[in-house]
Amino acid sequence: MKADVRGHLYALENESIHVLREVAAQFERPVLLFSGGKDSIVVAWLARKAFHPAPIPFPLLHIDTGHNFGETISFRDDFATLLGCDLRVASVQDSIDQGRVAEESGPLASRNALQTVTLLDALRDHRADAAIGGARRDEEKARAKERFFSHRDRFGQWDPKNQRPEVWSLYNGRKQQGEHFRVFPISNWTEMDIWQYIAMEEIPMPSLYFAHERDVFLRDGIYLAKTDFITLMEHETMERHVVRFRTIGDATCTGAVVSVASTVEEIIVETAAARVTERGGRSDDKRSEAAMEDRKKVGYF
């Protein structure tokens, strides 16, 4: 890897580590939101470096939709063990069973939007005053509006027009009782930065990110994987393709891309040539023009 690339990545790393240490300094009960995807993996890896040789001083919190890929759950458990982290899991299925949310029905049903209630309940139960996430500004227009320290009111709501200035790397974590912050240490990273950092640090990654054969079907221009959670419509047929995933989330709305990239180096080359953002394969973002921002305003990640 070229020296200038390494220098750029070290600058991003230092910024993120500074933000993580600010979280530890300003908040009493932070948690790190961990999905098992590449961005949350990198944030957890950075947290490990930020506090070494001490253990990471906050738990990992996974909001489990119950519709995850099996590979994601296996990797999540192994990675938490590798880092020596306290892993906590909050289940959307529990929220459904308790009548906190109503499951969607029909062939387009997804549990992705249901995560908001489960997340807010989990933050309340853990008395968390900060939730660290792996969102990046380059992913989606609503996420581009976030600060490093993003205030949430006592209902978990976000007001994009009323955010605090962040100058000279100073972050204001003051809050009232019942309020909390979402913190995004890798805000200034890009998808390319993430993969180059993974290569430089040799960070283990879930197999879903690498090319493999899988049964998929085409829906609204997106390849979705065959799972027990999805019902095919009459005009849809299953096909066998070599694919990989650029993002990892609820299997009902996470699209695959046709690809032969089977190594991190090949993924970097493919990413450099990509003309569609990684969330271009997320059907949940296509429900409306402002789908992400609407969800974030009511407490979504």
Side-chain angles (χ1 to χ4, degrees), residues 20 49 83 109 165 209 220 227 245:
L20 287 163
K49 298 187 77 171
L83 297 188
Y209 281 114
D220 296 331
T227 66
F245 293 85

Side-chain angles (χ1 to χ4, degrees), residues 116-148:
T116 297
V117 171
T118 307
L119 169 60
L120 293 176
D121 287 351
L123 295 178
R124 179 202 62 212
D125 293 344
H126 292 297
R127 295 186 290 119
D129 52 2
I132 305 163
R136 309 186 325 267
R137 293 192 181 111
D138 76 317
E139 287 182 275
E140 201 273 342
K141 56 189 177 183
R143 288 185 169 174
K145 299 178 182 180
E146 294 272 19
R147 302 288 196 267
F148 281 103

Side-chain angles (χ1 to χ4, degrees), residues 43-262:
V43 173
W45 191 267
L46 290 163
R48 183 194 200 189
K49 298 187 77 171
F51 302 104
H52 181 79
I56 297 175
F58 33 75
L60 306 185
L61 174 62
H62 180 217
I63 307 302
D64 183 2
T65 66
H67 288 175
N68 294 289
F69 294 100
E71 296 95 326
T72 303
I73 300 302
S74 296
F75 182 89
R76 177 201 70 186
D77 296 342
D78 291 344
F79 194 70
T81 300
L82 173 66
L83 297 188
C85 288
D86 174 15
L87 173 64
R88 303 178 186 180
V89 180
S91 170
V92 172
Q93 184 62 55
D94 289 343
S95 298
I96 295 170
D97 294 342
Q98 295 163 10
R100 295 282 293 142
V101 294
E103 186 149 27
E104 297 179 3
S105 60
L108 300 180
S110 172
R111 288 185 174 183
N112 198 55
L114 307 186
Q115 295 179 85
T116 297
V117 171
T118 307
L119 169 60
L120 293 176
D121 287 351
L123 295 178
R124 179 202 62 212
D125 293 344
H126 292 297
R127 295 186 290 119
D129 52 2
I132 305 163
R136 309 186 325 267
R137 293 192 181 111
D138 76 317
E139 287 182 275
E140 201 273 342
K141 56 189 177 183
R143 288 185 169 174
K145 299 178 182 180
E146 294 272 19
R147 302 288 196 267
F148 281 103
F149 276 33
S150 186
H151 177 263
R152 298 296 195 270
D153 67 18
R154 64 190 182 91
F155 301 106
Q157 297 175 328
W158 172 61
D159 181 0
K161 296 181 180 180
N162 186 28
Q163 298 193 81
R164 299 172 182 181
E166 294 179 343
V167 295
W168 302 308
S169 299
L170 297 175
Y171 307 113
N172 182 355
R174 292 183 180 180
K175 59 180 179 54
Q176 300 297 321
Q177 184 71 27
E179 299 175 346
H180 74 277
F181 276 78
R182 305 289 170 85
V183 181
F184 305 108
I186 60 170
S187 289
N188 287 337
W189 297 51
T190 65
E191 184 184 11
M192 177 64 82
D193 294 329
I194 291 292
W195 281 112
Q196 288 179 327
Y197 188 74
I198 289 167
M200 184 176 75
E201 293 283 304
E202 298 182 352
I203 304 174
M205 298 299 294
S207 59
L208 289 169
Y209 281 114
F210 304 99
H212 58 285
E213 281 196 11
R214 185 177 288 267
D215 290 329
V216 295
F217 64 95
L218 197 60
R219 176 176 291 175
D220 296 331
I222 297 171
Y223 278 115
L224 295 175
K226 176 185 178 182
T227 66
D228 295 334
F229 320 124
I230 296 180
T231 301
L232 267 66
M233 291 186 269
E234 290 184 2
H235 65 281
E236 295 172 338
T237 57
M238 203 64 67
E239 306 170 19
R240 189 78 172 174
H241 287 295
V242 176
V243 300
R244 71 177 190 88
F245 293 85
R246 292 176 69 187
T247 66
I248 293 178
D250 189 296
T252 61
C253 60
T254 302
V257 294
V258 175
S259 170
V260 294
S262 58

